[in-house]
Amino acid sequence: MADVIRLLLVDDDALVRAGLSMMLDGTGDIVVVAEAGDGREAIAAVDAHAPDVVLMDLQMPHVDGITATRRLRERPGAPEVIVLTTFDTDEHIVHALRAGASGFLLKDTPPAQIADAVARVATGGPMLSPGVMRRLMDRTVAQAGAYERARAALAALTPREHEVAVAIARGRSNAEIGAELLMSVTTVKSHVSSILTKLALDNRTQVALLAHDADLV
């Protein structure tokens, strides 16, 4: 029994928990030590049962899966967390991984793959479903492309215009920019106009977004 993985199931749907328990508890390598209906119960269950791995839903009452994952992973000796959900938007994936999840699977993942994921993360390895991995790769490529394009566009600015663009991205008004950069408001307006022309943009918000894409703020 020393090699058996202790698993906590967290989902607000009792039928989902029952199905997962039936599938995973019979593998021989995994024992479901507890179930929880939301993130708040999950934290209490971790304290009571010391699981090795938590299979965590995202959308739950009281405390959602992202918050529960973050709170658990901040603790010393925290269990590994695999998010198992029907939601696969970029936002959900990135937030879950940033919160400390070691895996992200969709609920239509075959039972054998879920069991394999539990075994992998129990030994410290990450586990993402193929679809999620592709989404992350596409997101990374898109972000890299946006970063390069933004950097290339901003290279057309003078050093002073560059400073003004960064100040715009930080939400500064013309008067605040003038005070920070020691120039008159009229000069700031002139720089802003030049920035918009050079970058072929329509407004300050677009300048701010470009500066964010270039990772300047």
Side-chain angles (χ1 to χ4, degrees):
M1 293 295 290
D3 295 328
V4 171
I5 300 166
R6 298 170 58 81
L7 180 67
L8 167 65
L9 299 177
V10 185
D11 197 296
D12 62 342
D13 189 328
L15 290 177
V16 171
R17 296 199 307 271
L20 288 170
S21 181
M22 184 180 302
M23 289 186 301
L24 299 174
D25 215 6
T27 63
D29 297 325
I30 299 170
V31 57
V32 177
V33 295
E35 299 179 12
D38 61 48
R40 182 173 58 190
E41 292 180 5
I43 294 171
V46 167
D47 290 337
H49 300 280
D52 302 305
V53 179
V54 177
L55 207 54
M56 182 84 72
D57 190 21
L58 286 185
Q59 301 284 49
M60 298 181 292
H62 306 302
V63 176
D64 62 75
I66 298 292
T67 302
T69 297
R70 181 179 300 108
R71 290 179 182 174
L72 287 175
R73 295 299 297 162
E74 287 174 348
R75 297 177 169 195
E80 301 294 338
V81 176
I82 299 174
V83 167
L84 182 66
T85 180
T86 57
F87 300 93
D88 67 340
T89 66
D90 290 353
E91 180 180 7
H92 285 112
I93 296 169
V94 172
H95 284 181
L97 296 180
R98 285 180 175 172
S102 298
F104 194 107
L105 301 175
L106 300 180
K107 286 185 176 178
D108 60 1
T109 301
Q113 291 184 21
I114 296 176
D116 180 61
V118 171
R120 288 195 182 196
V121 302
T123 57
M127 183 62 190
L128 303 176
S129 66
V132 169
M133 180 65 78
R134 172 53 58 185
R135 292 285 292 273
L136 286 176
M137 290 173 64
D138 290 344
R139 178 186 174 92
T140 299
V141 170
Q143 287 180 330
Y147 172 83
E148 296 297 338
R149 289 192 297 272
R151 287 278 178 169
L154 292 169
L157 304 181
T158 66
R160 202 58 163 164
E161 289 168 347
H162 194 276
E163 291 177 330
V164 172
V166 171
I168 290 172
R170 289 174 175 158
R172 306 292 194 265
S173 66
N174 286 343
E176 290 171 333
I177 294 173
E180 287 182 7
L181 301 181
L182 303 178
M183 62 177 72
S184 68
V185 172
T186 299
T187 301
V188 174
K189 289 180 179 179
S190 177
H191 282 310
V192 173
S193 178
S194 178
I195 290 168
L196 293 174
T197 299
K198 287 184 177 180
L199 300 179
L201 300 177
D202 297 322
N203 54 55
R204 296 166 71 100
T205 299
Q206 292 176 342
V207 174
L209 290 174
L210 194 66
H212 278 283
D213 284 344
D215 199 25
L216 296 178
V217 290

mmCIF file with all atom_site columns, all heavy atoms in Angstrom, residues 17-31:
data_model
loop_
_atom_site.group_PDB
_atom_site.id
_atom_site.type_symbol
_atom_site.label_atom_id
_atom_site.label_alt_id
_atom_site.label_comp_id
_atom_site.label_asym_id
_atom_site.label_entity_id
_atom_site.label_seq_id
_atom_site.pdbx_PDB_ins_code
_atom_site.Cartn_x
_atom_site.Cartn_y
_atom_site.Cartn_z
_atom_site.occupancy
_atom_site.B_iso_or_equiv
_atom_site.pdbx_formal_charge
_atom_site.auth_seq_id
_atom_site.auth_comp_id
_atom_site.auth_asym_id
_atom_site.auth_atom_id
_atom_site.pdbx_PDB_model_num
ATOM 1   N N   . ARG A 1 17 ? -18.698 13.028 -9.034  1.00 0.00 ? 17 ARG A N   1
ATOM 2   C CA  . ARG A 1 17 ? -17.782 12.469 -8.037  1.00 0.00 ? 17 ARG A CA  1
ATOM 3   C C   . ARG A 1 17 ? -17.951 10.957 -7.936  1.00 0.00 ? 17 ARG A C   1
ATOM 4   O O   . ARG A 1 17 ? -16.967 10.213 -7.848  1.00 0.00 ? 17 ARG A O   1
ATOM 5   C CB  . ARG A 1 17 ? -18.018 13.107 -6.666  1.00 0.00 ? 17 ARG A CB  1
ATOM 6   C CG  . ARG A 1 17 ? -17.731 14.596 -6.608  1.00 0.00 ? 17 ARG A CG  1
ATOM 7   C CD  . ARG A 1 17 ? -17.542 15.069 -5.169  1.00 0.00 ? 17 ARG A CD  1
ATOM 8   N NE  . ARG A 1 17 ? -18.627 14.704 -4.287  1.00 0.00 ? 17 ARG A NE  1
ATOM 9   C CZ  . ARG A 1 17 ? -19.715 15.427 -4.071  1.00 0.00 ? 17 ARG A CZ  1
ATOM 10  N NH1 . ARG A 1 17 ? -19.870 16.581 -4.722  1.00 0.00 ? 17 ARG A NH1 1
ATOM 11  N NH2 . ARG A 1 17 ? -20.640 15.040 -3.212  1.00 0.00 ? 17 ARG A NH2 1
ATOM 12  N N   . ALA A 1 18 ? -19.195 10.497 -7.958  1.00 0.00 ? 18 ALA A N   1
ATOM 13  C CA  . ALA A 1 18 ? -19.448 9.066  -7.842  1.00 0.00 ? 18 ALA A CA  1
ATOM 14  C C   . ALA A 1 18 ? -18.869 8.316  -9.037  1.00 0.00 ? 18 ALA A C   1
ATOM 15  O O   . ALA A 1 18 ? -18.255 7.248  -8.880  1.00 0.00 ? 18 ALA A O   1
ATOM 16  C CB  . ALA A 1 18 ? -20.950 8.805  -7.734  1.00 0.00 ? 18 ALA A CB  1
ATOM 17  N N   . GLY A 1 19 ? -19.035 8.891  -10.221 1.00 0.00 ? 19 GLY A N   1
ATOM 18  C CA  . GLY A 1 19 ? -18.498 8.253  -11.413 1.00 0.00 ? 19 GLY A CA  1
ATOM 19  C C   . GLY A 1 19 ? -16.985 8.193  -11.396 1.00 0.00 ? 19 GLY A C   1
ATOM 20  O O   . GLY A 1 19 ? -16.389 7.153  -11.721 1.00 0.00 ? 19 GLY A O   1
ATOM 21  N N   . LEU A 1 20 ? -16.363 9.284  -11.014 1.00 0.00 ? 20 LEU A N   1
ATOM 22  C CA  . LEU A 1 20 ? -14.902 9.319  -10.941 1.00 0.00 ? 20 LEU A CA  1
ATOM 23  C C   . LEU A 1 20 ? -14.390 8.345  -9.885  1.00 0.00 ? 20 LEU A C   1
ATOM 24  O O   . LEU A 1 20 ? -13.395 7.642  -10.102 1.00 0.00 ? 20 LEU A O   1
ATOM 25  C CB  . LEU A 1 20 ? -14.431 10.739 -10.612 1.00 0.00 ? 20 LEU A CB  1
ATOM 26  C CG  . LEU A 1 20 ? -14.556 11.774 -11.728 1.00 0.00 ? 20 LEU A CG  1
ATOM 27  C CD1 . LEU A 1 20 ? -14.274 13.171 -11.182 1.00 0.00 ? 20 LEU A CD1 1
ATOM 28  C CD2 . LEU A 1 20 ? -13.596 11.449 -12.869 1.00 0.00 ? 20 LEU A CD2 1
ATOM 29  N N   . SER A 1 21 ? -15.059 8.308  -8.753  1.00 0.00 ? 21 SER A N   1
ATOM 30  C CA  . SER A 1 21 ? -14.635 7.411  -7.683  1.00 0.00 ? 21 SER A CA  1
ATOM 31  C C   . SER A 1 21 ? -14.710 5.967  -8.141  1.00 0.00 ? 21 SER A C   1
ATOM 32  O O   . SER A 1 21 ? -13.806 5.161  -7.887  1.00 0.00 ? 21 SER A O   1
ATOM 33  C CB  . SER A 1 21 ? -15.512 7.623  -6.451  1.00 0.00 ? 21 SER A CB  1
ATOM 34  O OG  . SER A 1 21 ? -15.096 6.788  -5.400  1.00 0.00 ? 21 SER A OG  1
ATOM 35  N N   . MET A 1 22 ? -15.786 5.627  -8.846  1.00 0.00 ? 22 MET A N   1
ATOM 36  C CA  . MET A 1 22 ? -15.955 4.257  -9.333  1.00 0.00 ? 22 MET A CA  1
ATOM 37  C C   . MET A 1 22 ? -14.857 3.896  -10.329 1.00 0.00 ? 22 MET A C   1
ATOM 38  O O   . MET A 1 22 ? -14.311 2.786  -10.300 1.00 0.00 ? 22 MET A O   1
ATOM 39  C CB  . MET A 1 22 ? -17.330 4.106  -9.986  1.00 0.00 ? 22 MET A CB  1
ATOM 40  C CG  . MET A 1 22 ? -17.663 2.697  -10.435 1.00 0.00 ? 22 MET A CG  1
ATOM 41  S SD  . MET A 1 22 ? -19.312 2.605  -11.184 1.00 0.00 ? 22 MET A SD  1
ATOM 42  C CE  . MET A 1 22 ? -20.319 3.215  -9.837  1.00 0.00 ? 22 MET A CE  1
ATOM 43  N N   . MET A 1 23 ? -14.514 4.850  -11.207 1.00 0.00 ? 23 MET A N   1
ATOM 44  C CA  . MET A 1 23 ? -13.510 4.588  -12.234 1.00 0.00 ? 23 MET A CA  1
ATOM 45  C C   . MET A 1 23 ? -12.102 4.490  -11.654 1.00 0.00 ? 23 MET A C   1
ATOM 46  O O   . MET A 1 23 ? -11.315 3.629  -12.033 1.00 0.00 ? 23 MET A O   1
ATOM 47  C CB  . MET A 1 23 ? -13.547 5.695  -13.298 1.00 0.00 ? 23 MET A CB  1
ATOM 48  C CG  . MET A 1 23 ? -14.763 5.685  -14.187 1.00 0.00 ? 23 MET A CG  1
ATOM 49  S SD  . MET A 1 23 ? -14.624 6.915  -15.521 1.00 0.00 ? 23 MET A SD  1
ATOM 50  C CE  . MET A 1 23 ? -14.436 8.441  -14.594 1.00 0.00 ? 23 MET A CE  1
ATOM 51  N N   . LEU A 1 24 ? -11.782 5.405  -10.739 1.00 0.00 ? 24 LEU A N   1
ATOM 52  C CA  . LEU A 1 24 ? -10.397 5.533  -10.294 1.00 0.00 ? 24 LEU A CA  1
ATOM 53  C C   . LEU A 1 24 ? -10.068 4.666  -9.083  1.00 0.00 ? 24 LEU A C   1
ATOM 54  O O   . LEU A 1 24 ? -8.936  4.211  -8.929  1.00 0.00 ? 24 LEU A O   1
ATOM 55  C CB  . LEU A 1 24 ? -10.093 6.998  -9.987  1.00 0.00 ? 24 LEU A CB  1
ATOM 56  C CG  . LEU A 1 24 ? -10.231 7.951  -11.181 1.00 0.00 ? 24 LEU A CG  1
ATOM 57  C CD1 . LEU A 1 24 ? -10.064 9.394  -10.730 1.00 0.00 ? 24 LEU A CD1 1
ATOM 58  C CD2 . LEU A 1 24 ? -9.221  7.612  -12.257 1.00 0.00 ? 24 LEU A CD2 1
ATOM 59  N N   . ASP A 1 25 ? -11.044 4.439  -8.237  1.00 0.00 ? 25 ASP A N   1
ATOM 60  C CA  . ASP A 1 25 ? -10.789 3.675  -7.013  1.00 0.00 ? 25 ASP A CA  1
ATOM 61  C C   . ASP A 1 25 ? -10.535 2.203  -7.298  1.00 0.00 ? 25 ASP A C   1
ATOM 62  O O   . ASP A 1 25 ? -10.015 1.488  -6.448  1.00 0.00 ? 25 ASP A O   1
ATOM 63  C CB  . ASP A 1 25 ? -11.975 3.821  -6.063  1.00 0.00 ? 25 ASP A CB  1
ATOM 64  C CG  . ASP A 1 25 ? -11.534 3.844  -4.604  1.00 0.00 ? 25 ASP A CG  1
ATOM 65  O OD1 . ASP A 1 25 ? -10.312 3.854  -4.364  1.00 0.00 ? 25 ASP A OD1 1
ATOM 66  O OD2 . ASP A 1 25 ? -12.402 3.850  -3.729  1.00 0.00 ? 25 ASP A OD2 1
ATOM 67  N N   . GLY A 1 26 ? -10.885 1.781  -8.516  1.00 0.00 ? 26 GLY A N   1
ATOM 68  C CA  . GLY A 1 26 ? -10.703 0.375  -8.838  1.00 0.00 ? 26 GLY A CA  1
ATOM 69  C C   . GLY A 1 26 ? -9.461  0.080  -9.643  1.00 0.00 ? 26 GLY A C   1
ATOM 70  O O   . GLY A 1 26 ? -9.266  -1.042 -10.117 1.00 0.00 ? 26 GLY A O   1
ATOM 71  N N   . THR A 1 27 ? -8.588  1.090  -9.805  1.00 0.00 ? 27 THR A N   1
ATOM 72  C CA  . THR A 1 27 ? -7.384  0.884  -10.616 1.00 0.00 ? 27 THR A CA  1
ATOM 73  C C   . THR A 1 27 ? -6.318  0.094  -9.876  1.00 0.00 ? 27 THR A C   1
ATOM 74  O O   . THR A 1 27 ? -5.407  -0.460 -10.494 1.00 0.00 ? 27 THR A O   1
ATOM 75  C CB  . THR A 1 27 ? -6.784  2.227  -11.046 1.00 0.00 ? 27 THR A CB  1
ATOM 76  O OG1 . THR A 1 27 ? -6.373  2.951  -9.882  1.00 0.00 ? 27 THR A OG1 1
ATOM 77  C CG2 . THR A 1 27 ? -7.801  3.050  -11.835 1.00 0.00 ? 27 THR A CG2 1
ATOM 78  N N   . GLY A 1 28 ? -6.364  0.065  -8.565  1.00 0.00 ? 28 GLY A N   1
ATOM 79  C CA  . GLY A 1 28 ? -5.352  -0.645 -7.789  1.00 0.00 ? 28 GLY A CA  1
ATOM 80  C C   . GLY A 1 28 ? -4.229  0.247  -7.326  1.00 0.00 ? 28 GLY A C   1
ATOM 81  O O   . GLY A 1 28 ? -3.668  0.041  -6.246  1.00 0.00 ? 28 GLY A O   1
ATOM 82  N N   . ASP A 1 29 ? -3.901  1.269  -8.116  1.00 0.00 ? 29 ASP A N   1
ATOM 83  C CA  . ASP A 1 29 ? -2.825  2.182  -7.748  1.00 0.00 ? 29 ASP A CA  1
ATOM 84  C C   . ASP A 1 29 ? -3.351  3.461  -7.092  1.00 0.00 ? 29 ASP A C   1
ATOM 85  O O   . ASP A 1 29 ? -2.573  4.260  -6.589  1.00 0.00 ? 29 ASP A O   1
ATOM 86  C CB  . ASP A 1 29 ? -2.015  2.573  -8.993  1.00 0.00 ? 29 ASP A CB  1
ATOM 87  C CG  . ASP A 1 29 ? -1.330  1.362  -9.618  1.00 0.00 ? 29 ASP A CG  1
ATOM 88  O OD1 . ASP A 1 29 ? -0.922  0.472  -8.860  1.00 0.00 ? 29 ASP A OD1 1
ATOM 89  O OD2 . ASP A 1 29 ? -1.218  1.324  -10.850 1.00 0.00 ? 29 ASP A OD2 1
ATOM 90  N N   . ILE A 1 30 ? -4.668  3.665  -7.148  1.00 0.00 ? 30 ILE A N   1
ATOM 91  C CA  . ILE A 1 30 ? -5.274  4.891  -6.645  1.00 0.00 ? 30 ILE A CA  1
ATOM 92  C C   . ILE A 1 30 ? -6.368  4.540  -5.645  1.00 0.00 ? 30 ILE A C   1
ATOM 93  O O   . ILE A 1 30 ? -7.178  3.638  -5.885  1.00 0.00 ? 30 ILE A O   1
ATOM 94  C CB  . ILE A 1 30 ? -5.897  5.711  -7.803  1.00 0.00 ? 30 ILE A CB  1
ATOM 95  C CG1 . ILE A 1 30 ? -4.818  6.113  -8.812  1.00 0.00 ? 30 ILE A CG1 1
ATOM 96  C CG2 . ILE A 1 30 ? -6.612  6.948  -7.261  1.00 0.00 ? 30 ILE A CG2 1
ATOM 97  C CD1 . ILE A 1 30 ? -5.372  6.714  -10.089 1.00 0.00 ? 30 ILE A CD1 1
ATOM 98  N N   . VAL A 1 31 ? -6.393  5.252  -4.533  1.00 0.00 ? 31 VAL A N   1
ATOM 99  C CA  . VAL A 1 31 ? -7.480  5.100  -3.578  1.00 0.00 ? 31 VAL A CA  1
ATOM 100 C C   . VAL A 1 31 ? -8.080  6.480  -3.309  1.00 0.00 ? 31 VAL A C   1
ATOM 101 O O   . VAL A 1 31 ? -7.360  7.436  -3.010  1.00 0.00 ? 31 VAL A O   1
ATOM 102 C CB  . VAL A 1 31 ? -6.994  4.458  -2.253  1.00 0.00 ? 31 VAL A CB  1
ATOM 103 C CG1 . VAL A 1 31 ? -5.871  5.254  -1.619  1.00 0.00 ? 31 VAL A CG1 1
ATOM 104 C CG2 . VAL A 1 31 ? -8.159  4.299  -1.281  1.00 0.00 ? 31 VAL A CG2 1
#
